[in-house]
């Protein structure tokens, strides 16, 4: 067997196997790299779907693809974060109308982060409130009285 990432020969008793792709990996490091790459690919596809939905395009334009790459590499905004920003700006806050570029991503990064942090806190507060409620007993009463 050969490692799908580093191409080293794998001993038959020490390997990682990923069933859907039927690939083998020689080490945890190679396997984690594969999982991270797969997650990033899924996040990128999700971003493209978000762009298709919001901008009503078949596929992001070359300009958009360049902006996506730039925001990821130079500003450190992940694909998932970019999708979240677009969702917030155009579908939640309805701040602007979409146009051909993705300039909203860097412009609304901090505001979007604050929105999602506040939403997460509200959810946690509700969860904590529900968890801390005393148990309530329900007693069923019958309208029929027993005859002696």
């Amino acid at each position: 067997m050969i490692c799908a990432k580093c191409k080293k020969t794998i001993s038959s008793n020490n390997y990682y196997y990923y069933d859907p792709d039927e690939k083998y990996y020689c080490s945890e490091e190679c396997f984690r790299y594969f999982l991270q790459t797969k997650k990033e690919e899924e996040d990128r596809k999700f971003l493209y779907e978000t762009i298709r939905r919001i901008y009503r395009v078949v596929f992001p334009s070359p300009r958009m693809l360049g902006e996506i790459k730039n925001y990821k590499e130079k500003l450190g905004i992940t694909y998932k974060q970019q999708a979240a920003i677009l969702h917030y700006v155009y579908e939640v806050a309805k701040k602007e109308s979409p146009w051909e570029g993705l300039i909203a991503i860097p412009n609304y990064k901090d505001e979007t982060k604050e929105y999602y942090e506040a939403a997460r806190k509200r959810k946690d507060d509700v969860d904590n409130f529900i968890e801390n409620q005393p148990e309530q007993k329900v007693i069923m009463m019958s309208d029929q009285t027993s005859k002696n």
Side-chain angles (χ1 to χ4, degrees):
M1 293 183 289
I2 305 290
C3 177
K5 181 192 178 289
C6 69
K7 308 299 182 206
K8 291 181 183 175
T9 302
I10 303 171
S11 72
S12 60
N13 60 354
N14 189 19
Y15 61 88
Y16 293 80
Y17 178 70
Y18 187 69
D19 191 29
D21 291 347
E22 297 182 0
K23 293 184 178 178
Y24 295 88
Y25 299 89
C26 67
S27 66
E28 185 176 350
E29 179 183 331
C30 285
F31 186 63
R32 284 185 187 273
Y33 176 84
F34 161 75
L35 291 177
Q36 179 61 34
T37 303
K38 189 161 188 67
K39 181 187 177 313
E40 194 169 278
E41 180 182 323
E42 290 168 1
D43 290 348
R44 182 175 36 82
K45 286 179 182 178
F46 180 72
L47 172 59
Y48 291 174
E49 284 299 319
T50 301
I51 290 171
R52 284 185 200 126
R53 184 180 69 248
I54 292 172
Y55 289 83
R56 295 184 176 98
V57 295
V58 176
F59 192 77
S61 69
R63 176 182 175 171
M64 290 176 170
L65 294 173
E67 289 173 312
I68 290 166
K69 181 179 179 182
N70 184 44
Y71 299 152
K72 183 175 184 306
E73 291 176 0
K74 293 187 178 166
L75 300 179
I77 306 171
T78 66
Y79 296 133
K80 194 171 188 174
Q81 290 169 332
Q82 291 183 50
I85 293 167
L86 292 174
H87 169 72
Y88 169 74
V89 170
Y90 298 118
E91 297 177 324
V92 175
K94 300 186 188 306
K95 295 268 187 187
E96 297 182 13
S97 297
W99 61 291
E100 65 184 62
L102 301 174
I103 193 66
I105 290 173
N107 289 346
Y108 288 97
K109 178 184 175 190
D110 295 334
E111 185 176 327
T112 301
K113 182 179 179 183
E114 290 172 11
Y115 167 78
Y116 282 108
E117 285 174 352
R120 189 175 302 115
K121 183 176 179 343
R122 285 190 305 272
K123 181 189 178 307
D124 290 346
D125 289 347
V126 168
D127 290 345
N128 288 335
F129 176 78
I130 291 170
E131 286 176 10
N132 293 324
Q133 291 300 305
E135 266 190 56
Q136 298 179 4
K137 292 185 180 181
V138 176
I139 301 172
M140 298 294 290
M141 299 296 289
S142 173
D143 288 340
Q144 299 174 349
T145 57
S146 60
K147 296 181 181 179
N148 293 344

